Amino acid sequence: MAKLFDTHAHYTDERLMGNESLLTALFSQDISHILTVATDVEDGERCHMLADTHEGIYASAGIHPHECGEAGGLDDAMSAVERQLTRRKTVALGEIGLDYHYDFSDRETQMRFFRAQMELAEKTGKPVIIHDREAHGDTMDMIRAFKGRVHGVLHSCSASAEQVREYVKMGWYISFSGVITFKNAAKTLDAVLATPPERLLVETDCPYLAPVPMRGKTNHSGYLHFTAARAAALLQMDYDALCEQEVKNAKTLFGI
Ligand SMILES: [Zn+2]
């Protein structure tokens, strides 16, 4: 069975945390690696613990736009994230970015944390994981400002095909979630078609965004093949070839 790298998951979420039999099943089936993504400093510790105790699991460290407002002083938060990024299996800085859909943190604070974490990415050389919800313009401006100095992945991509082409030109990877299996996903399907296979990643963003036909359930990496199959069909690629390319892409990006 062709294996996949789930490039964006939240196994520290209470719906998934501690489910050892699930993790064992995933790695014995079609999952080779999982990147469990942090949302704040405390979560980065939990992600590190998971990575430390499971061979196929890797971690990130960073402050999610939702959590910036509660993250305390910027300088202290950045030193904590920087410390976490020195760990062997903490392979990316994220997730960071902007969320203008929920606006849980005010936009100025989101922007301050986003910029500081891009600077930290440049300093540490780590790839970043970008969260961009209804903030395509400001996100793109930030990425352009660090062009050639910071790269990474646009997670659960909801950008346009045109924006995707610009990200790709700047050396970025594009990751698609279960959204591409949804009925109302026309714009995102165009974005898949604009992504060269050697820059394409897939993710669950579990426990969120379960793909069709599991939509509405608690998502996990065992459902990632539905999303990968949709991407393969859109790109007219053989399923196994897409999986092989995807794992290779993720390992290149995260330096594994
Ligand atoms: Zn996420």
Side-chain angles (χ1 to χ4, degrees), residues 69-144:
E70 306 284 313
L74 182 65
D75 292 347
D76 286 350
M78 290 309 98
S79 345
V81 171
E82 186 171 359
R83 214 161 36 240
Q84 292 177 330
L85 287 171
T86 62
R87 292 165 172 163
R88 187 179 64 87
K89 289 182 81 187
T90 299
V91 294
L93 205 170
E95 58 186 291
I96 66 175
L98 302 168
D99 193 310
Y100 294 170
H101 178 75
Y102 288 110
D103 280 321
F104 286 154
S105 313
D106 70 75
R107 291 185 184 185
E108 198 202 311
T109 306
Q110 291 190 42
M111 196 55 99
R112 254 180 346 111
F113 274 79
F114 188 13
R115 188 173 300 109
Q117 292 183 97
M118 289 293 284
E119 285 164 0
L120 184 56
E122 183 176 7
K123 182 179 169 192
T124 59
K126 292 284 180 188
V128 300
I129 303 163
I130 298 290
H131 174 106
D132 160 20
R133 185 138 185 218
E134 294 172 23
H136 299 325
D138 286 353
T139 302
M140 180 62 92
D141 285 348
M142 184 71 81
I143 303 304
R144 282 190 193 122

Side-chain angles (χ1 to χ4, degrees), residues 22-243:
L22 171 66
L23 291 173
T24 304
L26 294 173
F27 289 115
S28 71
Q29 290 160 12
D30 66 345
I31 295 298
S32 63
H33 305 73
I34 293 170
L35 180 58
T36 193
V37 175
T39 55
D40 61 19
V41 170
E42 205 180 299
D43 193 35
E45 290 301 308
R46 289 193 293 265
C47 291
H48 160 67
M49 290 293 285
L50 267 178
D52 211 32
T53 49
H54 298 79
E55 198 189 338
I57 299 185
Y58 290 78
S60 77
I63 319 276
H64 190 292
H66 286 344
E67 309 301 331
C68 299
E70 306 284 313
L74 182 65
D75 292 347
D76 286 350
M78 290 309 98
S79 345
V81 171
E82 186 171 359
R83 214 161 36 240
Q84 292 177 330
L85 287 171
T86 62
R87 292 165 172 163
R88 187 179 64 87
K89 289 182 81 187
T90 299
V91 294
L93 205 170
E95 58 186 291
I96 66 175
L98 302 168
D99 193 310
Y100 294 170
H101 178 75
Y102 288 110
D103 280 321
F104 286 154
S105 313
D106 70 75
R107 291 185 184 185
E108 198 202 311
T109 306
Q110 291 190 42
M111 196 55 99
R112 254 180 346 111
F113 274 79
F114 188 13
R115 188 173 300 109
Q117 292 183 97
M118 289 293 284
E119 285 164 0
L120 184 56
E122 183 176 7
K123 182 179 169 192
T124 59
K126 292 284 180 188
V128 300
I129 303 163
I130 298 290
H131 174 106
D132 160 20
R133 185 138 185 218
E134 294 172 23
H136 299 325
D138 286 353
T139 302
M140 180 62 92
D141 285 348
M142 184 71 81
I143 303 304
R144 282 190 193 122
F146 285 85
K147 186 177 169 178
R149 295 181 286 139
V150 173
H151 77 301
V153 54
L154 191 63
H155 123 76
S156 191
C157 174
S158 58
S160 68
E162 194 191 336
Q163 288 160 334
V164 161
R165 279 189 281 270
E166 186 172 347
Y167 278 108
V168 166
K169 216 177 276 174
M170 290 192 286
W172 284 65
Y173 289 75
I174 313 293
S175 179
F176 293 96
S177 67
V179 169
I180 64 169
T181 67
F182 298 173
K183 266 207 182 106
N184 55 355
K187 180 185 159 198
T188 307
L189 302 188
D190 286 342
V192 176
L193 293 172
T195 306
E198 63 277 10
R199 293 295 182 76
L200 179 115
L201 301 172
V202 290
E203 63 171 83
T204 55
D205 200 16
C206 62
Y208 313 102
L209 297 179
V212 172
M214 299 302 171
R215 194 170 179 182
K217 296 196 174 165
T218 299
N219 198 8
H220 61 70
S221 309
Y223 299 156
L224 184 58
H225 65 93
F226 293 114
T227 302
R230 184 80 176 111
L234 284 165
L235 295 168
Q236 297 179 295
M237 281 179 78
D238 173 66
Y239 178 78
D240 286 6
L242 180 131
C243 294

